[in-house]
């Protein structure tokens, strides 16, 4: 089409989001995020181990229902996807959470899935269910991720050093810019999938899948919130915000290209892609609706913690 998504989306749009993040993020905050090992382990284990396993168990129960089998298999591939490279960062920033940690986990999770043996564990269920003999070009995916994620982020940080004073004075609308780019990504992906005239999708299965996706997101957001706010937890309220969004969100910008690479030429690719196409806008919609509530909780929690840490005034005799 005239928008040329194979160029504008695959390379320019994702690069623009990370250049925008690099430009807006303070370098000292990103450096500090690298050392938050416990938070990173929590997010990556939940995303790449617990999430796909829980979905697999759930799908064993759904397999006896009349829901379209290819949509269910597509739902399994959703569970195998890495954290998103955009939406989790945007929503974390909107709440005022630990944006640096969100960026680190988004980038790290994407590289982990694309460049190590974890991709086999993440997508093995899909290979078994779909009987695909496709191979994944690790070098190609690594190169694309490096050029569209790491390089723009570094360039943004370098440019920030020279125009730091101007940025702090003018305060450009970084969040609005990222949201517009993300909207373009979603729009072109929907167009690409539903332009297929051979797609066979019944309304009952689609409605049920939408309901299941929202239920999964709500349940997993609640679980991550409970785990990260336990009494013995060392996570700050800002950390919890990043954990909730990064652990439960799945990447559309990496997911769709990965599905197209892994299942190239597969006749049911359009149906397999539908759950991911629903999941991504659903996570943005749900996250956006919860932003005021989560922000209110975070602010009140931070105030409460600040008061408990203040030394008590000496009692006058």
């Amino acid at each position: 089409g005239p928008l040329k998504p194979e160029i504008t989306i695959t390379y320019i749009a994702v690069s623009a989001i990370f250049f925008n993040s690099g430009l807006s993020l303070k370098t000292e905050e990103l450096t500090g995020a690298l050392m938050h090992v416990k938070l990173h382990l929590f997010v990556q284990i939940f995303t790449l181990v617990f999430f796909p396993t829980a979905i697999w168990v759930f799908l064993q129960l759904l397999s006896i229902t009349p829901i379209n089998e290819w949509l269910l298999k597509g739902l399994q591939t959703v569970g195998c996807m890495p954290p998103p490279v955009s939406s989790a960062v945007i929503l974390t920033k909107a709440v005022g959470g630990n944006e640096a940690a969100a960026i680190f986990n988004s980038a790290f999770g994407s590289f982990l899935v694309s460049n190590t043996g974890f991709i086999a564990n993440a997508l093995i269920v899909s290979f078994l269910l779909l009987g695909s003999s496709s191979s994944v070009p690790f070098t190609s995916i690594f190169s694309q991720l490096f050029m569209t994620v790491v390089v723009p982020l570094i360039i943004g940080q370098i440019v920030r050093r020279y125009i730091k004073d101007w940025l702090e004075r003018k305060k450009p609308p970084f969040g609005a810019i990222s949201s517009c780019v993300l909207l373009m990504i979603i729009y072109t992906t929907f167009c690409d999938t539903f332009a297929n005239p051979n797609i066979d999708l019944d309304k009952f299965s689609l409605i049920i899948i939408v309901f299941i996706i929202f239920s999964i997101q709500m349940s997993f957001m609640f679980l991550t919130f409970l785990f990260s706010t336990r009494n013995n937890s060392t996570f700050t309220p800002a950390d919890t915000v990043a954990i909730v969004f990064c652990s439960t969100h799945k990447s559309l910008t990496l997911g769709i290209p990965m599905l197209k690479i892994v299942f190239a030429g597969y006749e049911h690719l359009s149906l397999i892609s539908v759950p991911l196409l629903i999941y991504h806008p659903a996570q943005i919609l749900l996250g956006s609706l919860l932003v005021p509530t989560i922000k209110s909780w975070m602010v009140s929690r931070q105030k409460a913690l600040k008061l408990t840490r203040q030394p008590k005034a000496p009692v006058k005799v």
Side-chain angles (χ1 to χ4, degrees), residues 32-51:
L34 299 177
M35 305 306 296
H36 210 328
V37 178
K38 186 177 179 181
L39 187 152
H40 306 325
L41 283 175
F42 183 102
V43 172
Q44 300 305 326
I45 291 175
F46 190 95
T47 303
L48 303 177
V49 179
F50 177 82
F51 202 125

Side-chain angles (χ1 to χ4, degrees), residues 2 54 92 269:
T92 301
L269 175 59

Side-chain angles (χ1 to χ4, degrees), residues 13-121:
V14 177
S15 299
I17 287 176
F18 271 89
F19 174 76
N20 189 44
S21 296
L23 202 59
S24 62
L25 185 66
K26 295 179 181 178
T27 307
E28 56 272 19
E29 292 179 356
L30 186 59
T31 304
L34 299 177
M35 305 306 296
H36 210 328
V37 178
K38 186 177 179 181
L39 187 152
H40 306 325
L41 283 175
F42 183 102
V43 172
Q44 300 305 326
I45 291 175
F46 190 95
T47 303
L48 303 177
V49 179
F50 177 82
F51 202 125
T53 303
I55 293 296
W56 182 82
V57 172
F58 183 51
L59 290 183
Q60 303 311 301
L61 301 175
L62 292 179
S63 62
I64 61 175
T65 66
I67 301 174
N68 188 297
E69 63 173 314
W70 302 108
L71 289 180
L72 293 180
K73 292 173 181 179
L75 193 59
Q76 181 64 70
T77 65
V78 171
C80 299
M81 292 301 161
V85 296
S86 49
S87 62
V89 176
I90 293 170
L91 290 170
T92 301
K93 183 180 179 67
V95 174
N98 193 337
E99 185 190 0
I103 288 180
F104 179 86
N105 279 284
S106 295
F108 181 72
S110 300
F111 275 100
L112 192 63
V113 169
S114 302
N115 303 297
T116 70
F118 271 89
I119 192 169
N121 297 323

Side-chain angles (χ1 to χ4, degrees), residues 9 49 98 118 147 152 157 218 265 303-304 308 310:
I9 299 302
V49 179
N98 193 337
F118 271 89
M147 294 304 298
Q157 286 282 282
M218 287 294 293
K303 288 180 179 178
T308 57
Q310 286 181 348

Side-chain angles (χ1 to χ4, degrees), residues 70-71 74 77-78 189 193-194 252 255-256 259-260 268-279:
W70 302 108
L71 289 180
T77 65
V78 171
T189 307
T193 298
F194 291 102
L252 176 69
I256 292 299
L259 288 180
K260 288 181 178 179
H268 296 290
L269 175 59
S270 294
L271 285 176
I272 296 167
S273 304
V274 167
L276 183 57
L277 284 169
I278 297 172
Y279 195 97

Side-chain angles (χ1 to χ4, degrees), residues 210-227:
V210 171
F211 175 76
I212 290 172
I213 285 172
F214 273 97
S215 300
I216 288 173
Q217 289 187 24
M218 287 294 293
S219 301
F220 284 0
M221 288 179 79
F222 183 67
L223 272 178
T224 52
F225 179 81
L226 283 182
F227 288 148

